[in-house]
Amino acid sequence: MERACLSRFARAARLLAAALALSALAACGKTGPEITVIAGSENQPFEPLVQEFCTAQGAKCSFKYAGSLDIGFGLKSTAQPLQADVVWPAASIWIDLFDEARKVKHLQSVSQSPVLLGVRKAKAQALGWTGREVTTADILAAVKDGKLKFLMSSATQSNSGAGAYLAMLNAAVGRGDVLTEPDLANPSVLDKARTLLGGVERSSGSSGWLADLFLDLDARGGHADAMWNYEVTLKETNESLVKRGSDPLWLVYPKDGAAVSDGPMGYFDRGRGADVENFVVALENHLLSAEVQQRIAAIGRRVVAGSGAAPVKVPEWNLDTSRAVTALRPPEPKVIFSALNLYQEALRKPSLTALCLDISGSMDGAGINQLHQAMTFLFSPEQTRSLLVQWTPDDHIVAIPFSGDAGTAVTGTGAPADQEKLKQWGNTLVADGGTNMYACVDKALQAMTPDLDTGRYLPAILIMTDGRSEGDLAGFIAQWAGKGRGIPIFGVTFGDADRSQLERLATATGARVFDGRSSLAEAFRAARGYN
């Protein structure tokens, strides 16, 4: 008790000293430090609050947004460490997993939001979920009976997906304790988790993009019954759905527990000195003040107790930010790594991926060399496993080169021998001819049809191109609508690619475009999180 009291006293003294120093700095009319914040997209709504503080202190603050996993990789990397002073991922587990050098200091939870299942209200009523508490076993039964499918971000690329997945594992174990390594070898646990993940009909590498996809599908008359996401994101999604007259989501708070995103902010020590460290500590103190916490609570986030903030309640959505949630305790870091690899290698729904690879004449030289490097990365298990985007023998892959027309399709699975075959084939590609990506996508759709008919896969087409395509975009989209079966068509830009053309194609098919100009391998890595 004495140590705890001394610790609180020391922290209070440090914060007071930092605040006094910053006040004196502002009073003297001097400028504060230049600060870079790297944050998960979940924390973007808080940027105005941070900028208000920075402006008041005469400091210049800039934001970069990245996935929590990318922030984690930056914390771990010695070759390319984070160029930031503040780290702000969605949850503390990513710092616990990757900050091996323990460079993150003064870690504080700014707000919290549990990961919940939002189900269309009519569907929730049909399932009998609106008048009682719901367990993960209820969700499992609905998926198993073919009565429920949902959108969920990738557990290995997005914090909300990881939270939903770890909660599934905990519920499958059933003892209400921390997940252990032996649990991950229990056939019953694996079977339940695999069945739950079989309900995924679209995946993504970002919780924010997933919510946008849900709304886009709704606007275009698409059918999406449910989505795993943050409580606050489900609230924001409902606000948009109600505004357009669509059926809102009923928030399901699983009785047996949920993962809670704790929104931790910390100072990343990269040797910039006490002034920067004190500024970050004072910024945290400001965000944790009663006034700011009340503003944060008003947008649907949960905040620290004792701030006097009023909760957000919308009974017709079953939304209540004061509702008690059984927060799952995260397992040990090594168990989390094992669980994430298990997800990627054995439990997730298999992917059906078509790669359309631009080998037109403009790719000659640096372009074709980078394509070779990207193919080497994609089909080198030791490299993809290090970034949690590895293939499995259950995945099916179609690779098609294109220039003025589509080339011969090469197919395989994610088995090591097939990956080696695809890697060697990819490194023989040479550049020549024009550019017609639509011919390639059409061929890809034909090649994917037999696997699509089984309903076992998450399908996607990925186009890598460095130039403007020949062919008719409008005509192709009409053709896709007739026989595309809702397959998203993602784009990866390279060189001086016409991003607008890829953007229109991606938007029309419920996909997105990745920037591969600096690194095709990194762009392909990011795209894997969406399939």
Side-chain angles (χ1 to χ4, degrees):
M1 176 65 74
E2 180 181 3
R3 181 181 295 177
C5 289
L6 288 172
S7 176
R8 287 196 295 270
F9 176 79
R11 179 177 178 274
R14 185 177 66 249
L15 292 173
L16 177 61
L20 289 173
L22 288 169
S23 296
L25 187 67
C28 294
K30 297 180 180 178
T31 57
E34 291 190 7
I35 301 293
T36 299
V37 180
I38 185 164
S41 59
E42 303 86 352
N43 295 317
Q44 193 165 359
F46 301 140
E47 182 174 348
L49 296 176
V50 173
Q51 295 293 4
E52 285 178 12
F53 179 80
C54 294
T55 299
Q57 303 301 330
K60 181 180 179 181
C61 297
S62 59
F63 272 73
K64 298 177 182 177
Y65 292 100
S68 292
L69 186 67
D70 291 317
I71 294 174
F73 286 143
L75 290 174
K76 185 177 181 178
S77 175
T78 55
Q80 294 180 311
L82 287 180
Q83 297 301 304
D85 307 292
V86 178
V87 292
W88 201 355
S92 299
I93 63 169
W94 305 107
I95 294 176
D96 295 339
L97 283 173
F98 292 104
D99 184 24
E100 297 173 348
R102 297 294 180 258
K103 290 189 175 183
V104 179
K105 303 175 181 178
H106 314 302
L107 199 64
Q108 295 287 339
S109 173
V110 175
S111 71
Q112 304 83 43
S113 192
V115 178
L116 306 174
L117 177 64
V119 183
R120 294 279 192 175
K121 191 171 183 179
K123 171 66 73 171
Q125 289 169 336
L127 291 169
W129 290 358
T130 56
R132 64 179 179 88
E133 290 186 309
V134 178
T135 65
T136 304
D138 294 321
I139 300 170
L140 174 65
V143 172
K144 196 170 185 177
D145 292 343
K147 296 178 180 179
L148 181 69
K149 291 187 178 296
F150 46 77
L151 276 58
M152 177 179 146
S153 59
S154 168
T156 56
Q157 302 299 312
S158 167
N159 179 72
S160 65
Y165 166 62
L166 291 173
M168 290 176 185
L169 287 175
N170 267 80
V173 171
R175 66 171 183 269
D177 201 356
V178 177
L179 197 69
T180 66
E181 288 277 6
D183 294 328
L184 301 180
N186 185 323
S188 174
V189 171
L190 302 187
D191 183 63
K192 290 175 183 177
R194 187 180 291 108
T195 299
L196 280 164
L197 292 170
V200 176
E201 60 179 348
R202 283 294 303 270
S203 184
S204 85
S206 161
S207 55
W209 190 87
L210 193 75
D212 290 340
L213 173 63
F214 191 95
L215 291 170
D216 179 59
L217 291 172
D218 178 80
R220 293 193 284 124
H223 184 69
D225 280 338
M227 169 173 62
W228 286 96
N229 220 316
Y230 300 112
E231 180 182 51
V232 65
T233 306
L234 296 174
K235 166 190 169 287
E236 293 164 353
T237 301
N238 271 350
E239 289 168 348
S240 296
L241 289 171
V242 169
K243 187 178 293 185
R244 65 175 61 158
S246 295
D247 189 29
L249 296 166
W250 180 266
L251 273 63
V252 174
Y253 295 79
K255 183 181 179 181
D256 38 3
V260 177
S261 166
D262 60 340
M265 173 182 280
Y267 164 66
F268 181 61
D269 186 359
R270 52 178 177 145
R272 294 194 61 208
D275 287 349
V276 173
E277 182 174 359
N278 288 339
F279 182 91
V280 175
V281 170
L283 169 61
E284 290 179 349
N285 194 36
H286 172 72
L287 294 175
L288 291 170
S289 67
E291 177 190 352
V292 177
Q293 287 282 287
Q294 288 169 18
R295 293 171 65 183
I296 291 173
I299 65 173
R301 304 278 180 138
R302 296 173 181 235
V303 295
V304 295
S307 65
V312 175
K313 299 182 180 183
V314 186
E316 57 268 30
W317 303 342
N318 198 35
L319 168 65
D320 182 356
T321 60
S322 66
R323 179 171 178 168
V325 173
T326 302
L328 301 176
R329 286 191 296 153
E332 292 293 317
K334 66 177 183 178
V335 179
I336 296 177
F337 270 120
S338 294
L340 294 178
N341 276 309
L342 186 65
Y343 166 89
Q344 190 69 21
E345 295 174 354
L347 300 182
R348 65 178 171 85
K349 201 169 184 177
S351 61
L352 171 59
T353 308
L355 303 172
C356 279
L357 307 171
D358 186 347
I359 58 168
S360 60
S362 59
M363 286 287 290
D364 193 29
I368 202 69
N369 289 336
Q370 284 209 31
L371 176 58
H372 292 164
Q373 292 168 13
M375 295 297 284
T376 297
F377 163 76
L378 269 180
F379 300 116
S380 295
E382 69 281 3
Q383 293 187 39
T384 53
R385 196 173 196 273
S386 69
L387 297 175
L388 296 171
V389 291
Q390 62 267 41
W391 305 91
T392 77
D394 289 331
D395 295 326
H396 280 205
I397 305 158
V398 179
I400 305 173
F402 71 91
S403 51
D405 201 355
T408 301
V410 178
T411 61
T413 69
D418 280 1
Q419 289 195 58
E420 183 63 27
K421 177 189 72 174
L422 286 163
K423 178 169 64 176
Q424 292 182 10
W425 168 82
N427 279 281
T428 65
L429 295 174
V430 295
D432 187 37
T435 308
N436 188 348
M437 65 183 181
Y438 304 114
C440 185
V441 176
D442 183 62
K443 192 163 191 172
L445 288 173
Q446 295 176 40
M448 296 167 80
T449 297
D451 285 327
L452 286 173
D453 290 339
T454 68
R456 293 185 57 238
Y457 300 92
L458 284 179
I461 295 173
L462 185 60
I463 303 173
M464 189 288 296
T465 182
D466 80 330
R468 187 180 188 89
S469 178
E470 305 158 14
D472 177 21
L473 173 63
F476 174 79
I477 290 175
Q479 182 184 18
W480 173 89
K483 65 178 183 179
R485 304 192 190 190
I487 299 175
I489 302 175
F490 295 91
V492 172
T493 61
F494 178 75
D496 59 352
D498 183 358
R499 186 180 177 94
S500 65
Q501 193 173 25
L502 286 172
E503 289 279 10
R504 292 196 298 274
L505 183 58
T507 299
T509 62
R512 63 173 296 184
V513 177
F514 301 90
D515 190 346
R517 288 174 296 178
S518 59
S519 171
L520 277 179
E522 175 58 27
F524 277 120
R525 196 277 299 176
R528 285 283 292 128
Y530 290 71
N531 182 223

